Amino acid sequence: MRILICEDSALLREGIARLLEDAGHTVVAALPDAQELDATVDEVAPDLCILDVRLPPTHTDEGIRAALQLRAARPDLAVMVLSQYVEERYASDLITGRGGALGYLLKDRVADVSDFVETVEAIAAGATVFDPEVVAQLLGRRARDERMLRLTERERTVLALIAEGKSNQAIAQTLFISEGSVEKHITAVFQKLDLEQDEHGNRRVLAALVHLEYGGRPSGDLS
């Protein structure tokens, strides 16, 4: 996989590059800011871009704006953003924006090398993955979509786990139920959220985004 990194901290930038290269991937560019991002993406054609939310010169929202522009202009490009803290507004902007595969992780997650590499690979393969802490905060907001009110407590829990990027098998293990039961819950969720089957198989991602955007219970509440 070809990866572009945009991170102003030289130590973190080089560290991420090293661990990804050690995992067999190719870092085609490592930038300290977003000034040359578009030109570099055109030049090196990465499969995935990893960006810090806050980049020079103001260290406010340069990274998130760059991520939004990339997703709008290049819907086939997978994008992962890294943040020091949960910044709900930025996460919401990404969710509601246009684009393809997406990840939003806290930088602490990088410390778990195997988990981080697996997440990078999942996003590059088309998954939408949000850090569990980001999910918990976003889902703590009051539900505003009447579709969400149709879901049972267990269906909300399953949906929260989907939003964290977990597979059916992982959800089954977390909830101590069979994969068949998970599939039934997911089917019910799709129906209640009015998500029809499409040729690209995007219902799982769409369901996760609906849940993240409009709220519900975090996956930690397994009641």
Side-chain angles (χ1 to χ4, degrees):
M1 175 172 41
R2 297 167 58 81
I3 301 171
L4 180 150
I5 301 169
C6 189
E7 163 62 55
D8 65 309
S9 167
L11 183 62
L12 184 57
R13 186 172 66 246
E14 293 175 6
I16 292 174
R18 174 64 63 86
L19 69 87
L20 290 173
E21 289 175 341
D22 287 347
H25 302 296
T26 302
V27 175
V28 293
L31 308 176
D33 56 54
Q35 291 184 349
E36 301 296 326
L37 181 61
D38 282 339
T40 304
V41 169
D42 288 338
E43 179 183 352
V44 303
D47 302 306
L48 169 74
C49 285
I50 300 176
L51 302 95
D52 188 358
V53 165
R54 298 177 181 271
L55 290 170
T58 69
H59 293 279
T60 55
D61 62 355
E62 284 86 354
I64 206 69
R65 286 191 284 108
L68 290 168
Q69 291 170 3
L70 282 177
R71 282 170 51 73
R74 302 171 176 84
D76 294 331
L77 177 63
V79 173
M80 171 192 283
V81 296
L82 296 175
S83 180
Q84 189 69 40
Y85 311 102
V86 178
E87 302 188 68
E88 185 176 313
R89 179 173 63 85
Y90 294 151
S92 297
D93 287 345
L94 284 170
I95 291 166
T96 56
R98 294 178 296 164
L102 172 67
Y104 188 115
L105 300 185
L106 298 184
K107 290 184 177 180
D108 288 346
R109 184 94 166 255
V110 180
D112 188 332
V113 174
S114 61
D115 184 54
F116 178 71
V117 171
E118 288 178 4
T119 300
V120 167
E121 293 171 346
I123 294 168
T128 296
V129 181
F130 282 71
D131 192 286
E133 183 61 27
V134 175
V135 172
Q137 290 205 22
L138 287 175
L139 300 190
R141 296 183 298 173
R142 182 177 179 179
R144 297 190 302 271
D145 188 337
E146 65 176 11
R147 291 177 297 172
M148 294 300 299
L149 301 179
R150 304 171 188 170
L151 303 184
T152 65
E153 290 297 320
R154 179 49 63 96
E155 289 164 356
R156 286 172 182 259
T157 300
V158 168
L159 186 48
L161 291 168
I162 290 174
E164 291 179 13
K166 294 187 182 298
S167 66
N168 286 12
Q169 181 180 17
I171 293 173
Q173 293 173 346
T174 299
L175 300 180
F176 302 102
I177 60 178
S178 68
E179 288 189 54
S181 294
V182 172
E183 291 172 2
K184 290 179 180 178
H185 287 311
I186 292 175
T187 298
V189 167
F190 289 158
Q191 292 174 343
K192 292 179 180 180
L193 294 183
D194 299 326
L195 297 176
E196 298 180 358
Q197 182 66 53
D198 66 273
E199 61 180 327
H200 302 294
N202 288 328
R203 288 196 299 176
R204 193 179 183 95
V205 172
L206 293 173
L209 296 187
V210 167
H211 197 45
L212 286 168
E213 181 177 356
Y214 292 107
R217 294 186 183 276
S219 63
D221 186 343
L222 302 182
S223 58

